[in-house]
Amino acid sequence: MSAAKRVQQWATFARTWHIFDCKWQDPYQSAEVIKKYLMGLHKPIYHSMNDCGDVVVCINSREIALRGNDWRQRAYFHHTGYPGGATWTLAWEVHNKDPTMIIKKAVYKAMRGNLQRRHTMQRLLIYPGEEIPEDIIQNVSNQIRQLRLVPTRLDHISEEEVKKFPKVMDYPQDYVLK
Amino acid sequence: MSFLTRTGYSFAKNTILSTSLRSISTTKQLRLKELREHKEGSSLVVEGVTVPSPRTELLIRAVNHQENPHQCKDTCYMCALNLDVKHTDVLILSQFVRTDGCMLPRRITGLCQRQQKKIGKLVTMAQKAGLMINLTPAYCHKDPKKRYGFKKFNTYFDEKTIFMKRIPKPTDRFER
């Protein structure tokens, strides 16, 4: 095997580290994307018996956005195993306790339940804020594109820009400005 | 019948309680106004000043709606513009809103019923997502992350949920 081929072989089977910014992202939609990178489904060499999954680092998991009234309507079920040991915790209560739990469970649920799933989950690293340990950020070589645009708050836009923005609605003639 | 009774009632009222106030004016008194308060010595002066609208220069209208608004197929300017407005487009939505964040009524916005409902719901979505937090009453806590309970977390909305049922357009009812 030539030296070039050998390097190509290493590059093919090396684990790539991806970073994903969860700010204003739906965890259940982004889990479908994260899952592909974790399992290696985006690679042409993918095979279920082939250990070709990548590492995904999720940052800002505290800033995830759920749709509509999901924060108070989505419940997470847990059973201790004892009689009467069932609990239903609402999504916002889970997020209060552990801001990484929802995205973790979403990715776990997105994958099929087989023996590989728990090992694949080991390659998912989630951080609630923007700070990542130095030894992890130095491995990262790719960023996964966000699914949703991060919205801008009106008070973060400068007043001049708001004034200059093209207008759709004009006041009627007898309107009293306040 | 109701018209007759109303006119009769108003005529009787005018004859009995005749005041100097006239409802008909000969001059054009309807203009965009602004209330200004200032103090002259010890007395407070409140005056209504006619001002030009700050929006007329930046106003955008669809071409066919601007040329002949009465013959245009779309009844209101938002229908004619055919914009895909999302709840995150706060620069558009804030034009339909008072300084305390309330939706303006239809007689001021001049929208059709369907658009008024749609924009009103989009404004609600933007307010709930905390995107127009400076357009709120004065007593409101301005930081959305300091809200109570589940409200402090980020929420987004799906615009498809605004009109779940297909509402027939007002024009195609008697059309053949």
Side-chain angles (χ1 to χ4, degrees):
Chain A
M1 192 184 269
S2 70
K5 276 280 172 197
R6 202 180 308 152
V7 172
Q8 195 183 15
Q9 178 87 353
W10 292 340
T12 309
F13 287 97
R15 286 204 201 285
T16 319
W17 287 55
H18 307 269
I19 198 165
F20 182 73
D21 190 355
C22 299
K23 197 175 238 180
W24 283 95
Q25 303 302 307
D26 188 305
Y28 311 105
Q29 287 170 9
S30 41
E32 294 294 324
V33 178
I34 292 170
K35 171 190 108 171
K36 284 182 186 168
Y37 285 91
L38 274 181
M39 294 166 71
L41 284 165
H42 63 300
K43 295 181 180 180
I45 59 162
Y46 173 77
H47 187 263
S48 54
M49 304 299 286
N50 183 1
D51 183 19
C52 62
D54 289 345
V55 183
V56 177
V57 184
C58 290
I59 59 167
N60 282 327
S61 76
R62 193 179 277 124
E63 311 273 307
I64 54 167
L66 293 202
R67 198 183 76 167
N69 49 12
D70 265 13
W71 280 117
R72 63 193 145 137
Q73 290 219 329
R74 198 178 276 266
Y76 283 84
F77 177 76
H78 177 73
H79 202 293
T80 58
Y82 289 97
T87 50
W88 287 267
T89 318
L90 300 179
W92 68 273
E93 290 169 335
V94 172
H95 203 61
N96 254 347
K97 264 245 187 296
D98 183 6
T100 62
M101 182 88 92
I102 286 182
I103 188 100
K104 189 176 166 186
K105 279 189 177 283
V107 176
Y108 188 78
K109 241 191 251 176
M111 288 188 287
R112 279 181 63 195
N114 51 18
L115 290 177
Q116 273 302 308
R117 174 157 73 161
R118 281 166 193 277
H119 300 289
T120 314
M121 283 301 290
Q122 296 285 307
R123 277 183 254 121
L124 176 69
L125 309 172
I126 309 168
Y127 295 95
E130 277 185 342
E131 287 86 46
I132 322 171
E134 186 57 39
D135 56 333
I136 281 168
I137 191 73
Q138 67 186 1
N139 295 323
V140 171
S141 57
N142 182 34
Q143 184 180 5
I144 302 173
R145 192 181 282 271
Q146 284 184 316
L147 298 173
R148 303 177 56 80
L149 278 176
V150 177
T152 322
R153 267 164 61 177
L154 188 63
D155 53 334
H156 290 172
I157 306 170
S158 65
E159 265 186 46
E160 267 186 43
E161 206 176 326
V162 176
K163 258 185 191 170
K164 275 182 191 170
F165 192 78
K167 298 289 184 258
V168 179
M169 200 273 279
D170 197 7
Y171 297 112
Q173 281 293 296
D174 55 341
Y175 186 69
V176 180
L177 284 173
K178 273 174 197 165
Chain B
M1 187 61 208
S2 63
F3 175 73
L4 279 176
T5 50
R6 212 184 306 141
T7 44
Y9 174 74
S10 63
F11 182 74
K13 190 183 160 193
N14 281 345
T15 47
I16 296 160
L17 306 161
S18 61
T19 53
S20 62
L21 201 118
R22 289 193 306 176
S23 59
I24 302 165
S25 62
T26 48
T27 53
K28 193 180 182 185
Q29 56 174 210
L30 301 177
R31 274 286 163 83
L32 202 63
K33 285 178 216 102
E34 196 172 38
L35 291 177
R36 284 179 192 164
E37 293 180 11
H38 60 95
K39 273 200 169 177
E40 281 183 13
S42 59
S43 60
L44 179 74
V45 179
V46 181
E47 54 178 353
V49 189
T50 55
V51 285
S53 172
R55 291 186 178 177
T56 33
E57 285 178 14
L58 295 162
L59 205 65
I60 285 184
R61 287 278 177 272
V63 179
N64 53 351
H65 195 263
Q66 203 171 20
E67 283 168 358
N68 42 1
H70 298 294
Q71 289 172 11
C72 185
K73 194 185 74 185
D74 301 306
T75 45
C76 86
Y77 56 89
M78 278 306 271
C79 295
L81 272 174
N82 200 15
L83 286 175
D84 180 24
V85 186
K86 297 262 183 339
H87 77 283
T88 47
D89 301 333
V90 280
L91 284 169
I92 295 174
L93 294 179
S94 60
Q95 298 170 20
F96 297 95
V97 154
R98 290 203 183 97
T99 45
D100 65 344
C102 280
M103 181 77 187
L104 286 164
R106 199 150 82 92
R107 64 170 188 275
I108 292 168
T109 56
L111 292 166
C112 65
Q113 210 164 15
R114 190 182 163 88
Q115 285 287 341
Q116 174 79 9
K117 201 157 213 171
K118 186 183 170 188
I119 300 267
K121 285 190 176 179
L122 286 172
V123 164
T124 316
M125 286 174 173
Q127 294 280 22
K128 282 188 177 178
L131 301 176
M132 295 205 297
I133 207 74
N134 54 345
L135 297 176
T136 37
Y139 56 82
C140 176
H141 303 294
K142 299 289 180 186
D143 193 0
K145 292 200 176 153
K146 284 180 185 168
R147 287 169 174 174
Y148 182 72
F150 63 89
K151 291 177 192 166
K152 67 186 166 194
F153 298 123
N154 293 342
T155 313
Y156 78 91
F157 293 91
D158 191 2
E159 281 81 16
K160 280 180 198 161
T161 56
I162 290 178
F163 291 127
M164 299 296 267
K165 285 184 210 158
R166 202 189 79 86
I167 300 170
K169 285 185 179 171
T171 45
D172 60 345
R173 206 171 191 185
F174 301 109
E175 207 173 49
R176 282 181 184 275

